[in-house]
Amino acid sequence: MSSQSPVRGTAPGPRAEPVQRLLFGGVYGTVLASALAAALDHDSGPSNPGYDALWILVASIATAAAHGYAHSIAHRTVGEEKVAAGTLRSVLAEWPLVVAVVPTLALLLGASAGWWSEGTGINIALGINSAALFGWGLLAARTAGQAWTSACRVGGVDVLLGLFIVAANILSH
């Protein structure tokens, strides 16, 4: 791929999901995982990173299902048959949102295994997620045909989402 040609079309894979779906799910899931991890507060009791990881996973699945369902309803046409199949496809197409929370889950599960503290896992997750937001912004801009310099600026703006969550986490604790 040359430095001037953007990434176009669809992402590789058996179902060739549109790049836009990947970008949306990636950004949304990364921000969701960061916000939920930053909100973990165990001032009233002992930390349980395994339990916290489970709830982040449940929240991401529920969010993906709700978004897919809402998308299906918004695009439903009068007289459309096989509504259930279309709705199920729309819900399943939200898989990138769930996959985007995996780094946060892995770090919390590592804390659950005793490899590091939950606080350390959350801090690392917030850093990784901020870097991922830069990557999502860069990919989105390149997909839209922007040059590398402007794509890096877009990635930098996306990082601000992550830094906002990090700042909120610091201020709330």
Side-chain angles (χ1 to χ4, degrees):
M1 181 163 85
S2 76
S3 64
Q4 295 301 316
S5 66
V7 179
R8 295 218 186 265
T10 58
R15 304 205 108 204
E17 291 291 336
V19 172
Q20 294 81 3
R21 174 94 52 194
L22 294 172
L23 294 170
F24 173 84
V27 170
Y28 199 112
T30 301
V31 170
L32 178 68
S34 295
L36 291 172
L40 296 174
D41 188 3
H42 298 288
D43 291 340
S44 61
S47 68
N48 187 342
Y51 180 80
D52 294 337
L54 174 65
W55 276 108
I56 289 175
L57 177 62
V58 167
S60 70
I61 291 169
T63 301
H67 185 267
Y69 180 69
H71 185 77
S72 177
I73 289 171
H75 292 93
R76 185 172 293 157
T77 60
V78 176
E80 181 180 354
E81 297 196 25
K82 299 184 180 180
V83 172
T87 301
L88 180 61
R89 273 193 305 279
S90 185
V91 168
L92 293 176
E94 297 299 325
W95 64 265
L97 190 156
V98 178
V99 171
V101 305
V102 168
T104 303
L105 296 178
L107 286 157
L108 286 171
L109 292 174
S112 183
W115 297 341
W116 46 76
S117 72
E118 184 174 25
T120 297
I122 289 169
N123 290 337
I124 293 170
L126 293 175
I128 289 171
N129 290 348
S130 294
L133 286 169
F134 175 82
W136 289 122
L138 183 74
L139 179 59
R142 293 293 296 151
T143 299
Q146 293 185 19
W148 282 103
T149 53
S150 59
C152 286
R153 281 193 298 270
V154 171
V157 169
D158 280 10
V159 167
L160 293 177
L161 290 169
L163 294 178
F164 174 76
I165 294 168
V166 168
N169 183 41
I170 291 169
L171 293 173
S172 69
H173 289 84

